[in-house]
């Protein structure tokens, strides 16, 4: 079983309740690129098929929130077979989940999630370096998993490491550092 040690830990509800986990993807840019650069469109779509398959094997209630824009306009092909695709805005859906899983930190949804009390798992491809001022807070706030790469240069994450990060840990976290960063004394 992929059930990690201590699952569910610090559960807010019944012991048999599965965590509701939202995988949050970013836009597919086709043949265009962004800065900082990340995976090209075909490799990124393949990655989403593989990571959503891994997540779907965990003892969780998985949902997927693709970016509403980009090459596929919020409908990347074939991903609905792993988890229901959420079509409302991220902000409208975020209170319905227990854990966020991101593979790109350079997004407005990631910034919004940092201000929530929900745990965040960040799958780090190594393409983004955080500012040295905020990096310690990011590392305290998120469970960061460094991705490896296979012989075909496709991103990989270990099944046990992913299961522990998504299913283990607290059900709520303290977002005070990010609320203060964004709101100042009004936090």
């Amino acid at each position: 079983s992929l059930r990690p040690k201590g699952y569910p830990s610090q559960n807010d509800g019944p012991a048999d309740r599965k965590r509701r986990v939202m995988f949050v993807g970013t836009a597919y840019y086709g043949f265009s690129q962004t800065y900082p650069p990340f995976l090209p469109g075909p490799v990124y779509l393949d990655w989403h098929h593989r990571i959503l398959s891994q997540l779907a094997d965990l003892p969780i209630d998985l949902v997927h929130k693709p970016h509403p824009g980009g090459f596929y306009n919020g409908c990347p092909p074939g991903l609905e077979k792993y988890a229901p695709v959420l079509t409302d805005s991220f902000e409208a859906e975020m209170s319905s989940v227990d854990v966020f899983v991101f593979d790109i930190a350079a997004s407005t949804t990631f910034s919004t999630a940092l201000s929530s009390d929900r745990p965040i798992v960040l799958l780090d491809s190594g393409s983004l370096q955080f500012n040295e001022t905020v990096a310690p807070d990011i590392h305290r706030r998120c469970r960061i998993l460094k991705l490896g790469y296979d012989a075909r240069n496709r991103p990989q994450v270990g099944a046990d490491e992913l299961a522990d990060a998504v299913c283990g840990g607290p059900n709520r976290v303290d977002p005070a550092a990010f609320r203060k960063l964004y709101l100042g004394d009004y936090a």
Side-chain angles (χ1 to χ4, degrees):
S1 167
L2 291 177
R3 188 178 298 267
K5 301 176 286 289
Y7 174 82
S9 65
Q10 301 176 13
N11 197 351
D12 292 337
D16 61 346
R17 181 182 169 277
K18 293 180 179 181
R19 280 184 166 179
R20 184 172 169 92
V21 176
M22 180 191 292
F23 178 77
V24 185
T26 195
Y28 296 85
Y29 291 103
F31 296 108
S32 300
Q33 189 52 272
T34 64
Y35 184 82
F38 61 94
L39 301 171
V43 178
Y44 193 51
L45 182 58
D46 172 71
W47 160 245
H48 278 184
H49 277 275
R50 290 182 299 105
I51 190 61
L52 283 167
S53 176
Q54 275 186 272
L55 288 166
D57 286 341
L58 296 177
I60 60 174
D61 176 17
L62 178 63
V63 293
H64 176 219
K65 178 63 183 130
H67 191 284
F71 188 72
Y72 294 118
N73 292 317
C75 299
L79 299 180
E80 68 282 349
K81 70 183 177 185
Y82 305 106
V85 175
L86 303 176
T87 57
D88 281 344
S89 70
F90 174 79
E91 293 78 9
E93 299 282 5
M94 66 186 290
S95 65
S96 72
V97 300
D98 301 309
V99 177
F100 298 112
V101 178
F102 285 88
D103 63 352
I104 299 290
S107 71
T108 54
T109 53
F110 184 73
S111 297
T112 301
L114 288 171
S115 293
S116 78
D117 65 352
R118 304 312 199 276
I120 298 172
V121 176
L122 176 59
L123 306 173
D124 181 10
S125 65
S127 65
L128 180 67
Q129 298 296 315
F130 292 107
N131 176 300
E132 66 185 37
T133 305
V134 74
D137 290 327
I138 295 280
H139 286 272
R140 275 190 295 277
R141 174 69 179 83
C142 303
R143 297 185 90 177
I144 301 175
L145 304 180
K146 295 275 187 192
L147 300 181
Y149 291 85
D150 68 10
R152 295 170 55 194
N153 209 24
R154 298 179 311 164
Q156 307 287 316
V157 64
D160 290 340
E161 184 181 24
L162 181 64
D164 184 53
V166 171
C167 299
N171 284 331
R172 296 291 182 258
V173 295
D174 181 6
F178 292 95
R179 289 181 180 179
K180 184 161 180 60
L181 176 67
Y182 298 137
L183 302 173
D185 293 331
Y186 297 104

